[in-house]
Amino acid sequence: MAPSRTPRRRPSRAETRRKIIDAAGEVFARQGIAATSLNDIAAEAGLTKGAVYSNFTGRDDLVLTIMEEHLVDRMRSATTAFDELSDLGEATAEAGARLAAGVDTDATWHRLLLEYWGIAMRNPTVHEGLATRRAQLREAITAAITRAAAQHGVDLPLPPEQLAVVVLALSNGLAVERGVEAAAVPDTLFADVLKLLVTPRGTGGDPDVSDTAAPPDPSAAPGTPGT
C-alpha cells in the first residue's frame, strides 16, 4: 500500500501578503517604481495577479506599505534606545547611530521615495495617498518623541509634531547627501544634531545664578545699590 501523502498546507493570508511585499521590494529596487507592473511583482512572487489584488488595491498601495514598513521599523528601533538607556546623552547618541545606520541600509528606499515623490507631485491621487501615509507616520513619531521626552525630563525646543518633521527631513536629506558624497556625512552627524535638539529640564545654566541681572531700582539714589 502506497504511503499517504501529507496534504500541502495552504499559505495563510499573512504569509501571502509577506511574500508579495518582499517580491515587490526586490522588483522596485531593481527596476524602479514607474517601470514596475503588478504582473512583474506577481511573477517575482510566483503568484497570480489576482493574488496580488486580493491583498493590495494596486501598485501605489504596495509602494506606500513597503515604505511605511521600512520607516516604522527604523524609527521604532531608534526610539527604543530611550527605553533601553537611562542616560539621556547615551540614549540620544544610540538613537542617532541607529538612524544613521538606516540611512545606509535603506538607501534604496530613500531613492524610491524620491522617485515616488516626483510621481506624486504630478498626480493628485497619488499625492493624496502619500500625504495620508506620511501624516500617519508623523503621528507615530510624534508619540514616540513625546514619550521619550517625558521619560527623560526633556524640554523640547519645538512641539513634538514639528520635531517629527525635522527627524524625517534629516533622515531623507542626509540620505541624499550621503548618496552623492558619503564622506560629506560623518557617521555621527545624525546623533550630533539630535543632541542639539534635546535639553534636560533645569540645565539652562548654573541653577544658583540668575540668567539675567536684576534691573536697577529707579527709586534708589545714584551710587546706592538697588534693593
Side-chain angles (χ1 to χ4, degrees), residues 134-135 137-146 156-169:
R134 298 297 284 188
L137 179 61
R138 290 196 304 273
E139 287 179 5
I141 298 173
T142 296
I145 290 174
T146 301
L156 298 173
L158 293 170
E161 59 271 16
Q162 292 182 14
L163 283 177
V165 176
V166 170
V167 170
L168 285 173

Side-chain angles (χ1 to χ4, degrees), residues 2-3 7 10 44 51 60 64 67 74 76 79 93 97 105 117 120 129 147 164 166 177 180 190 195 214 220:
R10 184 175 182 179
E44 182 80 14
D60 291 326
L64 293 172
M67 287 184 177
R74 185 150 49 86
R76 182 183 296 115
T79 55
T105 58
W117 177 87
R147 179 170 53 82
V166 170
E177 296 303 324
V180 174
F190 215 139
K195 289 177 183 178

Side-chain angles (χ1 to χ4, degrees), residues 12 46 54 87 96 109 162 175 221:
S12 67
S54 69
D87 181 81
W109 292 105
Q162 292 182 14

Side-chain angles (χ1 to χ4, degrees), residues 28-106:
F28 286 145
R30 187 169 62 240
Q31 300 178 184
I33 296 170
T36 297
S37 70
L38 288 185
N39 283 329
D40 295 331
I41 295 170
E44 182 80 14
L47 300 168
T48 65
K49 186 176 179 180
V52 177
Y53 267 121
S54 69
N55 286 273
F56 299 93
T57 59
R59 186 183 64 181
D60 291 326
D61 188 20
L62 256 171
V63 172
L64 293 172
T65 297
I66 295 172
M67 287 184 177
E68 182 179 14
E69 183 178 89
H70 276 261
L71 283 170
V72 167
D73 286 347
R74 185 150 49 86
M75 292 299 172
R76 182 183 296 115
S77 172
T79 55
T80 53
F82 293 95
D83 297 325
E84 298 166 357
L85 299 170
S86 58
D87 181 81
L88 178 62
E90 293 179 1
T92 304
E94 178 61 23
R98 294 178 185 181
L99 289 171
V103 167
D104 289 329
T105 58
D106 280 354

Side-chain angles (χ1 to χ4, degrees), residues 11-37:
S12 67
R13 183 177 182 85
E15 290 171 334
T16 300
R17 183 179 174 88
R18 180 76 260 162
K19 192 172 185 178
I20 294 169
I21 289 174
D22 291 342
E26 292 292 330
V27 181
F28 286 145
R30 187 169 62 240
Q31 300 178 184
I33 296 170
T36 297
S37 70

